[in-house]
Amino acid sequence: MCNVKSGSETYAKLYPEFSSDGVLRLGNLVPDFSADTTMGPMKSFHEWIEGKWAILFSHPADFTPVCTTEIGRLALKYKDLEKKGVKLATLSADPVESHNKWLEDVVAHCENNVTIDFPIIADPTREISVKYGMLDPNNLDLENLPLTIRAVFIIGPDKKLKLSLNYPASVGRNMDEIVRCVDALQLSAKHSVATPANWPYNHDSIGKKGWAFLLPTVTPEDAKTHFPDHHSCKVPSGVDYLRLTDVSKLNLN
């Protein structure tokens, strides 16, 4: 088992807890809020997180085709995310009564038998959406409806934003990619590694499929001691910075 302290803590200190201009950015403490949901009142989003990882997944409105499929696919990933210690909530800019009617369509349309075991947050005033930077307060159409609020926020147990994704209304989100991001974030949070492009399908050509890079915070001495089987990729510069390690040998629990 590796005893090297995760370099993620060092990098986290580079981010301020709050942004100077009020815009939510990576590393910032996410805004707290209270709201009605399909599972009853949520008195505090921060309290709901309860020291776990969390995903806030937003939608522009109920009864929209792409979002209908996304909720269904999220439901299929729910148990897997729960096993990873991740709480899931979605948000739509409509009231709870509308959410409940919409969810009947979601379940009926999904090819698999699903149940929606996570809350759908009501944001009819768009107050939460504005707090999270999903909607400019002046960016409303003539019918006072939001244009697009399609975002994914992955939040750490410290209630700080670890990753965010923004999508246009025409592109459905890939749930496998969201789970992959969770896996990568949790791996990096516990160990001093960073996942390469296309992980875990990276570096197959050199027999290192799924391996991850040691962070620059890992000294050469610690690399030799705690990652004795790590592999340094040879590059023209001669700089030893592409250091791969087999993550299957790390303590992932």
Side-chain angles (χ1 to χ4, degrees):
M1 185 176 78
C2 176
N3 294 316
V4 176
K5 191 174 182 179
S6 172
S8 295
E9 295 182 19
T10 300
Y11 287 115
K13 294 177 182 177
L14 301 176
Y15 300 108
E17 190 166 90
F18 301 99
S19 64
S20 59
D21 55 8
V23 176
L24 181 61
R25 294 188 177 89
L26 294 181
N28 292 166
L29 189 71
V30 299
D32 194 14
F33 60 83
S34 59
D36 291 329
T37 82
T38 52
M39 292 185 168
M42 181 181 287
K43 295 181 180 180
S44 165
F45 182 61
H46 281 187
E47 290 180 8
W48 176 82
I49 292 174
E50 292 181 325
K52 294 182 178 291
W53 288 81
I55 296 175
L56 180 61
F57 194 99
S58 73
H59 304 279
D62 298 346
F63 302 103
T64 51
V66 173
C67 296
T68 297
T69 60
E70 289 177 328
I71 291 286
R73 303 313 294 184
L74 267 179
L76 292 173
K77 295 293 185 184
Y78 177 74
K79 293 297 183 184
D80 185 26
L81 289 168
E82 190 177 44
K83 290 178 182 177
K84 298 176 188 293
V86 180
K87 304 190 76 169
L88 174 63
T90 67
L91 176 149
S92 181
D94 281 306
V96 169
E97 294 79 7
S98 175
H99 292 352
N100 287 327
K101 292 179 181 178
W102 177 41
L103 290 182
E104 294 178 5
D105 291 355
V106 170
V107 172
H109 181 73
C110 189
E111 298 93 340
N112 308 76
N113 292 323
V114 298
T115 57
I116 311 302
D117 299 321
F118 46 88
I120 314 295
I121 297 167
D123 188 28
T125 65
R126 290 77 172 172
E127 180 181 348
I128 301 170
S129 300
V130 171
K131 283 184 176 181
Y132 276 72
M134 295 182 277
L135 180 69
D136 188 291
N138 296 320
N139 191 20
L140 302 174
D141 69 16
L142 296 178
E143 295 181 350
N144 203 36
L145 293 174
L147 296 177
T148 55
I149 316 171
R150 304 188 72 247
V152 180
F153 301 95
I154 301 181
I155 302 159
D158 56 1
K159 304 179 183 67
K160 293 182 178 180
L161 182 62
K162 305 303 181 183
L163 181 147
S164 64
L165 300 167
N166 291 311
Y167 283 72
S170 58
V171 181
R173 286 163 279 193
N174 187 309
M175 306 312 149
D176 290 331
E177 170 61 9
I178 292 171
V179 173
R180 187 192 77 91
C181 289
V182 168
D183 288 341
L185 286 167
Q186 291 185 336
L187 179 65
S188 183
K190 187 164 188 180
H191 301 283
S192 285
V193 297
T195 52
N198 296 337
W199 180 85
Y201 305 107
N202 57 290
H203 292 93
D204 193 17
S205 63
I206 60 172
K208 311 297 180 186
K209 183 178 179 180
W211 287 32
F213 287 123
L214 297 180
L215 290 176
T217 53
V218 178
T219 65
E221 292 75 20
D222 280 341
K224 291 178 182 177
T225 301
H226 300 287
F227 305 93
D229 298 326
H230 77 274
H231 170 80
S232 292
C233 299
K234 304 303 180 184
V235 288
S237 68
V239 180
D240 186 20
Y241 66 103
L242 297 171
R243 303 173 297 171
L244 288 166
T245 189
D246 186 355
V247 298
S248 67
K249 296 183 179 180
L250 300 177
N251 177 20
L252 303 181
N253 296 319

